[in-house]
Amino acid sequence: MQKGTKLDREHCVRAVQSKDARFDGWFFTAVLTTRIYCRPSCPVVPPKPENMTFHPSAAACQQAGFRACKRCRPDTSPGSPEWNQRADLVARAMRLIADGVVDREGVPGLAGRLGYSPRQVERQLLAELGAGPLALARAQRAQTARLLVETTGLPMAEIAFAAGFSSIRTFNDTVREVFALSPTELRARTPKSAPAAPAPAPGALSLRLPFRAPLNPDNLFGHLAATAVPGVEEWRDGAYRRTLRLPYGHGIAALTPKPDHIACRLALSDLRDLPVAIARCRRLLDLDADPVAVDDQLRTDPVLAPLVDKAPGRRVPRTVDEAEFAVRAVLGQQVSTAAARTHAARLVTAHGTPVEDPEGGLTHLFPAPAELAGLDPETLAMPRSRRTTFTTLVGRLADGTLHLGVESDWAEARAGLLELPGFGPWTVDVIAMRALGDPDAFLPTDLGIRRAALELGLPGTPAALTARAAAWRPWRAYAVQYLWATDSHPINFLPV
């Protein structure tokens, strides 16, 4: 199937008839006779082709008057990979909408962050997704509401507030319109074996994060655990845990790999942050990726093919905070993983915001750029040149002359980073890969990549290796994961 912004009817019909779960989230099937919309893998008997119409988003289905299927729950599909593999206006807008910007700042705020007028943003989203920013945000609110109704014992009024609705009436009307059930009826359908119950800690709840198979957790969780900053991150009882700085408060996420989902436990100081916390956890673990498309492309290289076949489905470990990762990238320049963690831990202890963690050993939020901008450079145990790199970066991030976020234009962000003293290709590309989410970022000068190239018989110089890697585009960041995995470094192994 040709995956992209235009839906090919023949290919969509074929995907629905074969119940192909790979395309869940790529498009949605609306059934004219029942007025229900489904994911492609819906377990019910497929409708006749003449009764199918196809939409690029759940919001477009809802705008057209279709209700979500109660069997396949299309609102819980993985997100479209399009939004994390592109850097155009629509993709950047979708990342911002998932991060809750429309609910917090409205459409003008969304447009302002993107550098376009509200009308331009509305027009492009309608053209590609069949729904504008308000409808897309409304669909996200409905999904959040359903999650809270089914997994917590919170009163409906609190759920309406947490999901971002302006009133109880709007909450009730939206849930009934989207799911053909009232909120109370939706809760009553929760299986008796897993009844909704009050969370054991204020603001805590558990949920499942879906992904497209296959997913190899080894390098994903191994990398996060091996580079974890004490106090901010930890590996405990089979879960990667970390603190989150969120728009309305803070939170702690615990993420555990399971065969068919990621178990996610969130403890939030303000439940309004739930959709943002979910979006950031998904982005951290690269859960909206299309591993089949990635691996098929990389397998065309006879050197990479055995690595892919041995452990398919590698993801790129990313971040929940772009500015935090940029700071940590500077701390990690030309030092070992252990030294980078030590530097970061000192910053956290001295400048981070303390938090309570009754369920583990987390103690702080990683300090924001504004909290680091005033520190004395002489307190940094690093060479003078790197102190200058560090202080320049945090200063630019703090005063807004450099912005790194989900909406960043990748080319502009790269250019801005390269202007900073001490920022070379490795630092810029590792930030592009793990913070900005560029799936084609490449690290030809990285020591681990050069070792892998030597072992595998790939070109040894950065220029020659980059030329060879042209065949891996647009997935060179994923090729980096497979090349890194040839080494015995702890980042490549799931902690025990």
Side-chain angles (χ1 to χ4, degrees), residues 269-287:
S269 63
D270 191 318
L271 276 176
R272 290 177 295 175
D273 284 321
L274 176 63
V276 177
I278 292 173
R280 293 184 184 179
C281 288
R282 294 192 62 81
R283 184 168 171 79
L284 171 71
L285 301 181
D286 197 18
L287 296 185

Side-chain angles (χ1 to χ4, degrees), residues 181-447:
L181 294 168
S182 69
T184 302
E185 291 169 333
L186 202 58
R187 176 166 283 173
R189 287 173 55 90
T190 303
K192 300 300 182 183
S193 59
L205 68 156
S206 298
L207 55 143
R208 296 158 61 104
L209 303 182
F211 56 76
R212 293 177 183 83
L215 181 144
N216 186 323
D218 294 2
N219 74 299
L220 182 58
F221 286 90
H223 203 124
L224 295 172
T227 60
V229 176
V232 174
E233 304 166 283
E234 68 175 0
W235 181 264
R236 180 183 292 266
D237 299 330
Y240 166 76
R241 305 178 73 248
R242 72 151 293 150
T243 58
L244 305 171
R245 184 184 298 276
L246 299 164
Y248 294 106
H250 68 269
I252 292 175
L255 302 164
T256 307
K258 300 291 184 181
D260 61 349
H261 68 280
I262 301 296
C264 174
R265 179 170 173 78
L266 291 169
L268 305 175
S269 63
D270 191 318
L271 276 176
R272 290 177 295 175
D273 284 321
L274 176 63
V276 177
I278 292 173
R280 293 184 184 179
C281 288
R282 294 192 62 81
R283 184 168 171 79
L284 171 71
L285 301 181
D286 197 18
L287 296 185
D288 290 328
D290 182 355
V292 173
V294 172
D295 288 352
D296 283 352
Q297 175 68 22
L298 298 183
R299 280 193 183 96
T300 62
D301 188 312
V303 173
L304 292 186
L307 304 180
V308 176
D309 290 338
K310 179 181 178 181
R314 292 192 184 276
R315 301 299 207 271
V316 178
R318 295 209 164 113
T319 184
V320 296
D321 187 314
E322 294 78 12
E324 173 192 315
F325 185 84
V327 170
R328 291 171 61 172
V330 170
L331 296 177
Q333 288 177 331
Q334 301 177 348
V335 299
S336 67
T337 299
R341 294 179 69 209
T342 298
H343 287 315
R346 289 172 181 162
L347 283 183
V348 167
T349 301
H351 303 282
T353 303
V355 299
E356 294 184 2
D357 177 20
E359 300 179 354
L362 303 181
T363 59
H364 291 80
L365 300 177
F366 194 89
E371 297 167 328
L372 296 173
L375 63 76
D376 180 0
E378 297 300 321
T379 62
L380 300 172
M382 59 180 65
R384 187 170 300 278
S385 61
R386 194 134 37 91
R387 293 179 194 171
T388 301
T389 300
F390 178 91
T391 55
T392 304
L393 171 65
V394 297
R396 294 282 300 275
L397 289 170
D399 67 18
T401 53
L402 174 67
H403 179 72
L404 302 175
V406 293
E407 76 275 22
S408 293
D409 179 281
W410 295 338
E412 290 181 4
R414 284 174 180 271
L417 290 168
L418 282 171
E419 292 176 355
L420 303 180
F423 271 72
W426 181 89
T427 306
V428 171
D429 279 314
V430 79
I431 292 172
M433 178 175 71
R434 293 196 54 200
L436 301 179
D438 183 353
D440 201 38
F442 190 51
L443 307 172
T445 63
D446 180 81
L447 180 59

Side-chain angles (χ1 to χ4, degrees), residues 129-141:
L129 292 165
L134 289 175
L136 292 161
R138 176 180 180 267
Q140 179 169 284
R141 285 195 297 274

